[in-house]
Amino acid sequence: MTGWPTGLASPSWGGDYNPEQWPEHVWKQDVELMRRAGVNLVSVGIFAWARLEVADNRFDFGWLDQVLDLLHDGGIRVCLANATASPPPWLTGANPDLLPVRADGVRLSHGSRQEYCPTSPVYRDRAIALTEKIALRYGEHPALAAWHVNNEYGCHVSRCYCDRCAGVFRDWLRARYDLDGLNRAWGTDFWSQHYSSWDQVLPPRVTPTLPNPGQVLDFARFCSDALLDLFCAERDVLSELTPDVPVTTNFMANWTFKALNYWHWAAEVDFVSNDHYTRADDPERHIELALSADLVRGLSRGEPWLLMEQSTSAVNWQPRNFAKLAGEMRRNSYSHLARGADGTLFFQWRQSRAGAERFHSAMLPHAGEDTKVFREVTQVGEEYGRLAELVGSTVDAQVALVYDFESAWAAEQPAHPVAFDYYATVLGLYKALWQLGVTVDVVPPSADLTGYRLVVVPALYQVTDDEARWLEDYVRAGGHALVTWFSGIADENSRVRLGGYPGAFRDLLGVRVEEFFPLAEGDTAKLTGGLSASYWSELLHANGCEVVSSYVDGPLDGVPAVTRNVFGEGVAWYLATTLDADSAVTVLSDVLAGAGVTPIVSAPPGVEVVRRRGERISWLVAINHTGADVVLPVEGVELISGVDTAGGLPVPAGGVAVVREV
Ligand code: GLA
Ligand code: ZN
């Protein structure tokens, strides 16, 4: 990774710019309005393949030359796409074999986007050829800030089940197992699945009933790797031809997506960028946004990152596409900024007139400039111009939260005790930390935990022996850990760890669970200490740990539900149920107090405060998600207003503030 690259004088502000959807006379107006809105970075050409390579090997770059020159003249820099996200109809039409195949054998047709199989040599060759052309033509263009490779890999097609992918999957497996090893890892003696030759091994296509869990897990790993391999091939062309121009691809590390192992991907980009859309029907959507941003900062190993896309207002792909409330987009932008984004861009600059996304909001709406959206865009764009000093700074956190894409793939499989949503489970716990005003770094299993006072481990369903030891070592040496149910259950092949749950963490936690007792939907379990829980419970035996809270009546009357174990020099807590929001806050505040973690400032509930730290100075970003004005005990200069906050920092209802601390 080369870190934040653009050399922009303030945090980036802008969006996807799709001039190919508009006649030429609009482009000039676009640049003018962009300047008015404080735009300094746009992503260009993401879906422009059909307009750049208009027919097999026939190119038309004239219009893009013009657009880039116009942007440059306007002082706007460009994150230029290699334009491979959506192969044109002439290509898929001539090579139907390039189209991806679903698990049920249906080959998808062209007509939307992302219609390619990741292992198609034709798609890859043509994508690389186009990338080369673009790199050679624009590599020296003065507007070029970074390369934007492809777009949201895997967003619509994260898995292809075609015969070619089956073959590449077998090669992938052969690099890891011999046939005996594969049979052992997947437990193929179950249901007569034993393989006697490699050519019998297939992707987990549609089959009469439940598929093999090890096969499903390995296929998920393979599919992430196959797309990553494609990204690397596209990236390599750019890195070779333009070694000084940083390369990224936009991730979707958020509630909508978990099909790619972004810990692996993050190691391959020059800087991390992410797309985030709030879930409009969730009243606490700003907390999910915070988790996503913390995860992205984790992927970026603490370095600043770029929010490549968010929406100014409604999207067009949720069940009800609610408009953002006045001030909401501004708060969203500052939350990302607070959590390490050195720029926040949108999908997209100008709202489309035609096509599938015409009812998706943009920076410049159908209704034009005289709108709530454009005014807010202009306001934040202008404010960002006063925040240049934050660029490049990092974020302070005392707590680490372990996030594992592979545990999601393993734990969300069918035929488990309950339907399981990994991200929602992580978010449930994260919400309590957010309410308590604590900033969290999201880390992968086996991360370096030096300096963290507490590590939170939600539903780390599958772990290797090394990963189990890693957590034990951290606690033994004095760390504090909080582990939740459905952790340590399986090994890396989804084979259950025997002797009682949570297999890998029994010693660390001082517990032994003999049976799961999921609760019925809507049921609540009462716990001692005034706590309540839902969703899950288990028949647990304290095995040396201290019992913090137990069930009151019901089938598990008297059985421990929350425990605390002194292990070596440290402490390991276990949550054997899903605590309700208030109960989670109660228990988490004890856990944090025990670990010596304190909030950044004492702020009323619903007021988010995060500290960014530079070499010599630090800043607090405060976002007031409540309907009441607040005053925070913070001293320094508020950068948006330029006012000295000696008597306390006012943050109006729904407003934001950025303070350079004294
Ligand atoms: C994704 C894509 C964009 C657009 C937005 C709409 O993030 O990358 O091209 O489709 O979704 O929300
Ligand atoms: Zn395929």
Side-chain angles (χ1 to χ4, degrees), residues 53 55 91 106 128 144 172 180 212 262 270 303 317 349 375 380 453 478 577:
E53 190 172 3
L91 181 58
V106 170
I128 282 178
L144 182 65
W172 185 96
D180 281 349
N212 178 298
Y262 285 135
D270 290 332
E303 293 294 318
W317 45 264
W349 162 249
R375 274 189 289 277
V380 182
R453 291 168 184 253
T577 183

PDB file of all heavy atoms in Angstrom, residues 53 55 91 106 128 144 172 180 212 262 270 303 317 349 375 380 453 478 577:
ATOM      1  N   GLU A  53     -14.608   1.489 -26.511  1.00  0.00           N
ATOM      2  CA  GLU A  53     -14.307   0.496 -27.545  1.00  0.00           C
ATOM      3  C   GLU A  53     -15.639   0.208 -28.212  1.00  0.00           C
ATOM      4  O   GLU A  53     -16.403  -0.651 -27.777  1.00  0.00           O
ATOM      5  CB  GLU A  53     -13.688  -0.770 -26.921  1.00  0.00           C
ATOM      6  CG  GLU A  53     -13.138  -1.725 -27.968  1.00  0.00           C
ATOM      7  CD  GLU A  53     -12.338  -2.892 -27.363  1.00  0.00           C
ATOM      8  OE1 GLU A  53     -12.258  -2.991 -26.122  1.00  0.00           O
ATOM      9  OE2 GLU A  53     -11.810  -3.699 -28.157  1.00  0.00           O
ATOM     10  N   ALA A  55     -16.575  -0.948 -31.044  1.00  0.00           N
ATOM     11  CA  ALA A  55     -16.747  -2.243 -31.695  1.00  0.00           C
ATOM     12  C   ALA A  55     -15.422  -2.958 -31.488  1.00  0.00           C
ATOM     13  O   ALA A  55     -14.457  -2.357 -31.009  1.00  0.00           O
ATOM     14  CB  ALA A  55     -17.048  -2.064 -33.173  1.00  0.00           C
ATOM     15  N   LEU A  91     -19.187  -7.658 -27.225  1.00  0.00           N
ATOM     16  CA  LEU A  91     -18.228  -8.630 -26.694  1.00  0.00           C
ATOM     17  C   LEU A  91     -18.944  -9.869 -26.146  1.00  0.00           C
ATOM     18  O   LEU A  91     -18.574 -11.011 -26.461  1.00  0.00           O
ATOM     19  CB  LEU A  91     -17.368  -7.975 -25.606  1.00  0.00           C
ATOM     20  CG  LEU A  91     -16.294  -8.845 -24.973  1.00  0.00           C
ATOM     21  CD1 LEU A  91     -15.313  -9.384 -26.014  1.00  0.00           C
ATOM     22  CD2 LEU A  91     -15.521  -8.071 -23.900  1.00  0.00           C
ATOM     23  N   VAL A 106     -28.351 -21.717 -14.980  1.00  0.00           N
ATOM     24  CA  VAL A 106     -28.789 -20.678 -15.925  1.00  0.00           C
ATOM     25  C   VAL A 106     -27.615 -19.766 -16.261  1.00  0.00           C
ATOM     26  O   VAL A 106     -26.933 -19.270 -15.363  1.00  0.00           O
ATOM     27  CB  VAL A 106     -29.945 -19.839 -15.327  1.00  0.00           C
ATOM     28  CG1 VAL A 106     -30.236 -18.621 -16.201  1.00  0.00           C
ATOM     29  CG2 VAL A 106     -31.185 -20.694 -15.161  1.00  0.00           C
ATOM     30  N   ILE A 128      -7.798  -6.521 -20.093  1.00  0.00           N
ATOM     31  CA  ILE A 128      -6.403  -6.102 -19.973  1.00  0.00           C
ATOM     32  C   ILE A 128      -6.000  -5.229 -21.160  1.00  0.00           C
ATOM     33  O   ILE A 128      -5.322  -4.205 -20.997  1.00  0.00           O
ATOM     34  CB  ILE A 128      -5.509  -7.349 -19.811  1.00  0.00           C
ATOM     35  CG1 ILE A 128      -5.646  -7.818 -18.364  1.00  0.00           C
ATOM     36  CG2 ILE A 128      -4.065  -7.073 -20.176  1.00  0.00           C
ATOM     37  CD1 ILE A 128      -4.908  -9.040 -18.005  1.00  0.00           C
ATOM     38  N   LEU A 144      -5.126  13.271 -13.779  1.00  0.00           N
ATOM     39  CA  LEU A 144      -5.186  11.910 -13.218  1.00  0.00           C
ATOM     40  C   LEU A 144      -4.635  11.861 -11.789  1.00  0.00           C
ATOM     41  O   LEU A 144      -3.473  12.163 -11.544  1.00  0.00           O
ATOM     42  CB  LEU A 144      -4.384  10.963 -14.122  1.00  0.00           C
ATOM     43  CG  LEU A 144      -4.368   9.491 -13.710  1.00  0.00           C
ATOM     44  CD1 LEU A 144      -5.763   8.875 -13.803  1.00  0.00           C
ATOM     45  CD2 LEU A 144      -3.383   8.700 -14.587  1.00  0.00           C
ATOM     46  N   TRP A 172      -7.534 -24.995  -7.778  1.00  0.00           N
ATOM     47  CA  TRP A 172      -7.383 -24.262  -6.509  1.00  0.00           C
ATOM     48  C   TRP A 172      -7.345 -25.259  -5.344  1.00  0.00           C
ATOM     49  O   TRP A 172      -6.512 -25.151  -4.441  1.00  0.00           O
ATOM     50  CB  TRP A 172      -8.561 -23.290  -6.382  1.00  0.00           C
ATOM     51  CG  TRP A 172      -8.552 -22.357  -5.211  1.00  0.00           C
ATOM     52  CD1 TRP A 172      -8.109 -21.072  -5.181  1.00  0.00           C
ATOM     53  CD2 TRP A 172      -9.063 -22.620  -3.886  1.00  0.00           C
ATOM     54  NE1 TRP A 172      -8.310 -20.518  -3.932  1.00  0.00           N
ATOM     55  CE2 TRP A 172      -8.889 -21.446  -3.120  1.00  0.00           C
ATOM     56  CE3 TRP A 172      -9.646 -23.739  -3.277  1.00  0.00           C
ATOM     57  CZ2 TRP A 172      -9.281 -21.360  -1.770  1.00  0.00           C
ATOM     58  CZ3 TRP A 172     -10.034 -23.644  -1.942  1.00  0.00           C
ATOM     59  CH2 TRP A 172      -9.845 -22.466  -1.204  1.00  0.00           C
ATOM     60  N   ASP A 180      -7.242 -37.398  -0.639  1.00  0.00           N
ATOM     61  CA  ASP A 180      -7.583 -37.888   0.710  1.00  0.00           C
ATOM     62  C   ASP A 180      -7.835 -36.725   1.657  1.00  0.00           C
ATOM     63  O   ASP A 180      -8.769 -36.729   2.452  1.00  0.00           O
ATOM     64  CB  ASP A 180      -6.426 -38.714   1.292  1.00  0.00           C
ATOM     65  CG  ASP A 180      -6.417 -40.112   0.711  1.00  0.00           C
ATOM     66  OD1 ASP A 180      -7.421 -40.464   0.052  1.00  0.00           O
ATOM     67  OD2 ASP A 180      -5.409 -40.816   0.907  1.00  0.00           O
ATOM     68  N   ASN A 212     -22.647 -29.733   0.948  1.00  0.00           N
ATOM     69  CA  ASN A 212     -21.574 -30.035   1.899  1.00  0.00           C
ATOM     70  C   ASN A 212     -20.966 -28.719   2.426  1.00  0.00           C
ATOM     71  O   ASN A 212     -20.499 -27.892   1.644  1.00  0.00           O
ATOM     72  CB  ASN A 212     -20.503 -30.861   1.175  1.00  0.00           C
ATOM     73  CG  ASN A 212     -19.338 -31.183   2.078  1.00  0.00           C
ATOM     74  OD1 ASN A 212     -18.639 -30.283   2.556  1.00  0.00           O
ATOM     75  ND2 ASN A 212     -19.119 -32.452   2.340  1.00  0.00           N
ATOM     76  N   TYR A 262     -12.120  -9.226   2.144  1.00  0.00           N
ATOM     77  CA  TYR A 262     -11.431  -7.955   1.920  1.00  0.00           C
ATOM     78  C   TYR A 262     -10.119  -7.850   2.692  1.00  0.00           C
ATOM     79  O   TYR A 262      -9.296  -7.004   2.359  1.00  0.00           O
ATOM     80  CB  TYR A 262     -12.347  -6.780   2.259  1.00  0.00           C
ATOM     81  CG  TYR A 262     -13.430  -6.516   1.226  1.00  0.00           C
ATOM     82  CD1 TYR A 262     -14.731  -6.263   1.618  1.00  0.00           C
ATOM     83  CD2 TYR A 262     -13.139  -6.497  -0.134  1.00  0.00           C
ATOM     84  CE1 TYR A 262     -15.728  -5.998   0.680  1.00  0.00           C
ATOM     85  CE2 TYR A 262     -14.130  -6.239  -1.076  1.00  0.00           C
ATOM     86  CZ  TYR A 262     -15.419  -5.986  -0.666  1.00  0.00           C
ATOM     87  OH  TYR A 262     -16.396  -5.724  -1.599  1.00  0.00           O
ATOM     88  N   ASP A 270      -3.413  -0.010  -3.684  1.00  0.00           N
ATOM     89  CA  ASP A 270      -2.492   1.028  -3.213  1.00  0.00           C
ATOM     90  C   ASP A 270      -3.135   1.876  -2.123  1.00  0.00           C
ATOM     91  O   ASP A 270      -2.454   2.412  -1.258  1.00  0.00           O
ATOM     92  CB  ASP A 270      -2.048   1.918  -4.371  1.00  0.00           C
ATOM     93  CG  ASP A 270      -1.136   1.166  -5.327  1.00  0.00           C
ATOM     94  OD1 ASP A 270      -0.446   0.227  -4.865  1.00  0.00           O
ATOM     95  OD2 ASP A 270      -1.117   1.492  -6.525  1.00  0.00           O
ATOM     96  N   GLU A 303      -4.584   3.510   8.004  1.00  0.00           N
ATOM     97  CA  GLU A 303      -4.277   4.631   7.105  1.00  0.00           C
ATOM     98  C   GLU A 303      -5.586   5.267   6.622  1.00  0.00           C
ATOM     99  O   GLU A 303      -6.603   4.590   6.512  1.00  0.00           O
ATOM    100  CB  GLU A 303      -3.523   4.125   5.868  1.00  0.00           C
ATOM    101  CG  GLU A 303      -2.140   3.592   6.140  1.00  0.00           C
ATOM    102  CD  GLU A 303      -1.202   4.675   6.625  1.00  0.00           C
ATOM    103  OE1 GLU A 303      -1.245   5.788   6.058  1.00  0.00           O
ATOM    104  OE2 GLU A 303      -0.450   4.421   7.585  1.00  0.00           O
ATOM    105  N   TRP A 317     -32.770   0.891  -4.698  1.00  0.00           N
ATOM    106  CA  TRP A 317     -32.719  -0.571  -4.656  1.00  0.00           C
ATOM    107  C   TRP A 317     -33.136  -1.156  -3.312  1.00  0.00           C
ATOM    108  O   TRP A 317     -32.960  -2.340  -3.078  1.00  0.00           O
ATOM    109  CB  TRP A 317     -31.314  -1.064  -5.037  1.00  0.00           C
ATOM    110  CG  TRP A 317     -30.188  -0.325  -4.375  1.00  0.00           C
ATOM    111  CD1 TRP A 317     -29.480   0.722  -4.903  1.00  0.00           C
ATOM    112  CD2 TRP A 317     -29.628  -0.546  -3.068  1.00  0.00           C
ATOM    113  NE1 TRP A 317     -28.520   1.164  -4.010  1.00  0.00           N
ATOM    114  CE2 TRP A 317     -28.588   0.397  -2.886  1.00  0.00           C
ATOM    115  CE3 TRP A 317     -29.896  -1.455  -2.050  1.00  0.00           C
ATOM    116  CZ2 TRP A 317     -27.822   0.466  -1.714  1.00  0.00           C
ATOM    117  CZ3 TRP A 317     -29.138  -1.388  -0.883  1.00  0.00           C
ATOM    118  CH2 TRP A 317     -28.116  -0.440  -0.727  1.00  0.00           C
ATOM    119  N   TRP A 349     -22.574  12.187  -9.757  1.00  0.00           N
ATOM    120  CA  TRP A 349     -22.645  13.643  -9.879  1.00  0.00           C
ATOM    121  C   TRP A 349     -24.030  14.097 -10.346  1.00  0.00           C
ATOM    122  O   TRP A 349     -24.747  14.761  -9.643  1.00  0.00           O
ATOM    123  CB  TRP A 349     -21.539  14.139 -10.828  1.00  0.00           C
ATOM    124  CG  TRP A 349     -21.814  15.521 -11.323  1.00  0.00           C
ATOM    125  CD1 TRP A 349     -22.138  15.880 -12.592  1.00  0.00           C
ATOM    126  CD2 TRP A 349     -21.838  16.730 -10.545  1.00  0.00           C
ATOM    127  NE1 TRP A 349     -22.369  17.238 -12.667  1.00  0.00           N
ATOM    128  CE2 TRP A 349     -22.194  17.778 -11.417  1.00  0.00           C
ATOM    129  CE3 TRP A 349     -21.612  17.027  -9.193  1.00  0.00           C
ATOM    130  CZ2 TRP A 349     -22.311  19.098 -10.999  1.00  0.00           C
ATOM    131  CZ3 TRP A 349     -21.731  18.344  -8.769  1.00  0.00           C
ATOM    132  CH2 TRP A 349     -22.074  19.365  -9.657  1.00  0.00           C
ATOM    133  N   ARG A 375     -27.944  22.240  -2.406  1.00  0.00           N
ATOM    134  CA  ARG A 375     -27.484  23.214  -1.396  1.00  0.00           C
ATOM    135  C   ARG A 375     -26.624  22.521  -0.349  1.00  0.00           C
ATOM    136  O   ARG A 375     -25.577  23.024   0.050  1.00  0.00           O
ATOM    137  CB  ARG A 375     -28.684  23.905  -0.738  1.00  0.00           C
ATOM    138  CG  ARG A 375     -29.168  25.131  -1.516  1.00  0.00           C
ATOM    139  CD  ARG A 375     -30.198  25.923  -0.739  1.00  0.00           C
ATOM    140  NE  ARG A 375     -31.472  25.218  -0.650  1.00  0.00           N
ATOM    141  CZ  ARG A 375     -32.395  25.239  -1.620  1.00  0.00           C
ATOM    142  NH1 ARG A 375     -32.191  25.945  -2.723  1.00  0.00           N
ATOM    143  NH2 ARG A 375     -33.520  24.574  -1.486  1.00  0.00           N
ATOM    144  N   VAL A 380     -21.367  21.373   2.228  1.00  0.00           N
ATOM    145  CA  VAL A 380     -20.310  20.500   2.762  1.00  0.00           C
ATOM    146  C   VAL A 380     -19.043  20.643   1.921  1.00  0.00           C
ATOM    147  O   VAL A 380     -17.923  20.658   2.455  1.00  0.00           O
ATOM    148  CB  VAL A 380     -20.768  19.029   2.835  1.00  0.00           C
ATOM    149  CG1 VAL A 380     -19.675  18.160   3.440  1.00  0.00           C
ATOM    150  CG2 VAL A 380     -22.046  18.908   3.658  1.00  0.00           C
ATOM    151  N   ARG A 453      -6.749  -2.297  24.830  1.00  0.00           N
ATOM    152  CA  ARG A 453      -7.100  -2.723  26.187  1.00  0.00           C
ATOM    153  C   ARG A 453      -8.141  -3.827  26.180  1.00  0.00           C
ATOM    154  O   ARG A 453      -8.278  -4.559  27.146  1.00  0.00           O
ATOM    155  CB  ARG A 453      -7.659  -1.535  26.958  1.00  0.00           C
ATOM    156  CG  ARG A 453      -6.597  -0.504  27.251  1.00  0.00           C
ATOM    157  CD  ARG A 453      -7.231   0.780  27.741  1.00  0.00           C
ATOM    158  NE  ARG A 453      -6.199   1.772  27.914  1.00  0.00           N
ATOM    159  CZ  ARG A 453      -5.764   2.171  29.111  1.00  0.00           C
ATOM    160  NH1 ARG A 453      -6.280   1.683  30.193  1.00  0.00           N
ATOM    161  NH2 ARG A 453      -4.808   3.075  29.191  1.00  0.00           N
ATOM    162  N   GLY A 478      -2.434 -10.354  29.787  1.00  0.00           N
ATOM    163  CA  GLY A 478      -3.027  -9.200  30.473  1.00  0.00           C
ATOM    164  C   GLY A 478      -4.137  -8.509  29.711  1.00  0.00           C
ATOM    165  O   GLY A 478      -4.723  -7.547  30.210  1.00  0.00           O
ATOM    166  N   THR A 577     -25.586 -15.393  25.073  1.00  0.00           N
ATOM    167  CA  THR A 577     -26.903 -15.057  24.520  1.00  0.00           C
ATOM    168  C   THR A 577     -26.813 -13.709  23.817  1.00  0.00           C
ATOM    169  O   THR A 577     -25.768 -13.040  23.897  1.00  0.00           O
ATOM    170  CB  THR A 577     -27.961 -15.007  25.639  1.00  0.00           C
ATOM    171  OG1 THR A 577     -29.244 -14.759  25.068  1.00  0.00           O
ATOM    172  CG2 THR A 577     -27.647 -13.919  26.662  1.00  0.00           C
TER     173      THR A 577
END
